[in-house]
């Protein structure tokens, strides 16, 4: 039977990789859920809401241009 010998740096690297995976994957999944919710919100906007946002944007840009 073969024996695998690991030194301290190798063990630390393996432990670090496992720790990163345990923290990273759930964070990415949570971020994906947040992004999906945001996309669904945007997709649900009505034409009137989009028009109002465009008008607000144009008004803000006009106001900024007048101050410069």
């Amino acid at each position: 039977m073969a024996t695998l010998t690991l030194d301290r740096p190798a063990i630390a690297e393996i432990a670090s990789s496992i720790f990163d995976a345990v923290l990273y994957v759930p964070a990415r999944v949570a971020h994906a859920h947040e992004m999906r919710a945001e996309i669904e919100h945007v997709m649900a906007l009505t034409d009137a809401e989009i028009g109002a946002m465009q008008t607000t944007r144009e008004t803000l840009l006009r106001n900024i241009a007048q101050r410069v």
Side-chain angles (χ1 to χ4, degrees):
M1 177 181 279
T3 303
L4 176 63
T5 304
L6 297 173
D7 58 1
R8 282 184 167 273
I11 293 170
E13 182 66 29
I14 293 167
S16 176
S17 296
I18 293 169
F19 185 74
D20 288 346
V22 167
L23 293 178
Y24 179 76
V25 172
R28 294 297 298 164
V29 169
H31 179 69
H33 284 295
E34 291 171 7
M35 292 302 299
R36 181 178 180 177
E38 183 64 25
I39 290 168
E40 289 173 350
H41 170 74
V42 170
M43 296 298 291
L45 292 173
T46 64
D47 289 341
E49 290 169 318
I50 292 170
M53 284 189 281
Q54 182 64 29
T55 301
T56 300
R57 178 181 175 274
E58 291 168 357
T59 301
L60 288 171
L61 290 174
R62 204 170 28 254
N63 289 345
I64 290 168
Q66 289 173 355
R67 292 180 185 176
V68 174

